[in-house]
């Protein structure tokens, strides 16, 4: 195994300071990219998708659970499989407590093509409590290009899609696939993909903060059982 070079503490500090400049530049570039993402246009979702979950049939609007935004993780689980994708399972394992997303008026749900009776025992095995729906028999996965036809066979790929609700109208704002999921899972990383972002005053474009004068950053975070509904 190749290990890092051994140096003195002073040499380490100098090297760390040099790298920190690049890290800060990367942070500024990421903020600019997130602002550009929030500037993307959106498209209205007119299709009447039907899902199945713990409470029976549901529409895409139902998946919002009354909140303004929805993040959908396209979990690879084909109808003929006996278990969900290992990589997708690793992704869901690292998603934080949903109360922090809910506090920013954003819901999260996983969607797979497997029938719900297959999803339910696997979900219990993994110990997950987050919402997970089946899109079996519908075109949702095809329309959002996570189920593709290649050489006459259907193949799955992982992805994540963001939606925005304006009353009863639903809009698709963003989707990313495969390597685009690297580094995601935390509350802020998921919010950064949405049209409203972290909803803080410093973000561009202006006018999407959830409340003027509201605390920003870490000051806004509560214990997950202390948020107001």
């Amino acid at each position: 195994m190749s290990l890092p070079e051994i140096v003195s503490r002073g040499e380490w500090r100098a090297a760390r300071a040099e790298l920190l400049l690049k890290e800060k530049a990367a942070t500024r570039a990421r903020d600019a990219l997130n602002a550009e993402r929030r500037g993307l246009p959106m498209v209205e979702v007119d299709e009447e998708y039907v899902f199945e979950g713990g409470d029976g049939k549901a529409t895409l609007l139902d998946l919002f659970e009354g909140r303004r935004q929805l993040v959908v993780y396209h979990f690879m689980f084909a109808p003929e499989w006996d278990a969900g994708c290992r990589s997708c399972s690793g992704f869901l394992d690292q998603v934080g407590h949903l109360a922090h997303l809910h506090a920013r008026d954003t819901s999260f749900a996983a969607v797979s093509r497997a029938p719900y009776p297959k999803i339910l025992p696997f979900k219990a095995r993994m110990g997950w409590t987050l919402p997970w729906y089946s899109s079996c028999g519908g075109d949702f996965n095809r329309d959002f290009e996570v189920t593709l036809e290649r050489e006459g066979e259907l193949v799955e790929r992982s992805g994540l899609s963001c939606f925005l609700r304006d009353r009863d109208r639903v809009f698709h704002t963003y989707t990313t696939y495969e390597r685009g999921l690297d580094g995601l899972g935390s509350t802020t990383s998921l919010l950064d993909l949405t049209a409203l972002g972290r909803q803080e005053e410093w973000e561009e474009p202006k006018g999407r903060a959830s409340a003027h004068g509201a605390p920003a950053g870490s000051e806004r975070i509560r214990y997950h059982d202390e948020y107001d509904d």
Side-chain angles (χ1 to χ4, degrees), residues 6-8 11 16 31 33 59 66-67 70 83 90-91 98-99 107 113 136 147 163 182 200 211:
I6 299 173
V7 297
S8 68
E11 290 173 309
R16 178 70 189 95
D31 288 343
L33 181 62
T59 65
R67 299 184 182 91
L70 170 67
F91 182 91
L98 296 187
S107 291
R113 274 202 312 130
C136 187
T147 298
F163 301 89
D182 286 359
E200 297 181 358

Side-chain angles (χ1 to χ4, degrees), residues 45 47-51 60 74 111-113 134-149 154 156 163:
V45 180
E47 292 77 3
E48 296 292 334
Y49 298 114
V50 178
F51 306 90
L60 185 58
H74 301 285
V111 173
S112 302
R113 274 202 312 130
S134 169
S135 62
C136 187
D139 294 327
F140 183 77
N141 280 48
R142 286 177 178 266
D143 290 350
F144 287 90
E145 300 179 26
V146 289
T147 298
L148 307 172
E149 186 171 348
L154 295 181
E156 309 291 320
F163 301 89

Side-chain angles (χ1 to χ4, degrees), residues 5-74:
E5 179 185 1
I6 299 173
V7 297
S8 68
R9 176 59 65 180
E11 290 173 309
W12 181 89
R13 288 196 182 99
R16 178 70 189 95
E18 184 177 347
L19 180 63
L20 182 60
L21 295 175
K22 297 178 181 179
E23 289 178 336
K24 288 183 176 294
T27 298
R28 290 191 291 270
R30 183 186 64 202
D31 288 343
L33 181 62
N34 291 338
E36 189 170 347
R37 183 186 294 112
R38 289 189 293 272
L40 285 174
M42 61 186 184
V43 59
E44 187 164 6
V45 180
D46 295 320
E47 292 77 3
E48 296 292 334
Y49 298 114
V50 178
F51 306 90
E52 184 178 359
D55 295 325
K57 301 296 183 182
T59 65
L60 185 58
L61 185 62
D62 292 330
L63 270 58
F64 281 78
E65 298 179 334
R67 299 184 182 91
R68 188 74 185 277
Q69 295 193 122
L70 170 67
V71 176
V72 169
Y73 181 67
H74 301 285

Side-chain angles (χ1 to χ4, degrees), residues 31-194:
D31 288 343
L33 181 62
N34 291 338
E36 189 170 347
R37 183 186 294 112
R38 289 189 293 272
L40 285 174
M42 61 186 184
V43 59
E44 187 164 6
V45 180
D46 295 320
E47 292 77 3
E48 296 292 334
Y49 298 114
V50 178
F51 306 90
E52 184 178 359
D55 295 325
K57 301 296 183 182
T59 65
L60 185 58
L61 185 62
D62 292 330
L63 270 58
F64 281 78
E65 298 179 334
R67 299 184 182 91
R68 188 74 185 277
Q69 295 193 122
L70 170 67
V71 176
V72 169
Y73 181 67
H74 301 285
F75 192 111
M76 293 193 296
F77 195 166
E80 64 274 14
W81 297 0
D82 295 324
C85 164
R86 290 183 175 87
S87 294
C88 292
S89 298
F91 182 91
L92 284 195
D93 278 339
Q94 65 191 13
V95 172
H97 200 291
L98 296 187
H100 302 293
L101 279 176
H102 295 170
R104 305 298 177 99
D105 213 9
T106 302
S107 291
F108 181 93
V111 173
S112 302
R113 274 202 312 130
Y116 193 69
K118 273 195 170 184
I119 290 175
L120 195 58
F122 184 72
K123 178 182 177 181
R125 171 189 167 187
M126 295 292 102
W128 298 324
T129 58
L130 53 79
W132 193 353
Y133 296 87
S134 169
S135 62
C136 187
D139 294 327
F140 183 77
N141 280 48
R142 286 177 178 266
D143 290 350
F144 287 90
E145 300 179 26
V146 289
T147 298
L148 307 172
E149 186 171 348
R150 293 176 180 166
E151 299 180 356
E153 294 185 0
L154 295 181
V155 297
E156 309 291 320
R157 66 169 170 170
S158 57
L160 187 146
S161 294
C162 300
F163 301 89
L164 179 69
R165 180 176 68 86
D166 184 11
R167 297 181 177 85
D168 290 338
R169 299 174 69 188
V170 174
F171 299 89
H172 174 220
T173 61
Y174 183 72
T175 294
T176 188
Y177 306 100
E178 296 169 341
R179 285 296 303 277
L181 301 170
D182 286 359
L184 300 181
S186 66
T187 299
T188 52
S189 70
L190 294 175
L191 288 171
D192 283 343
L193 301 184
T194 68

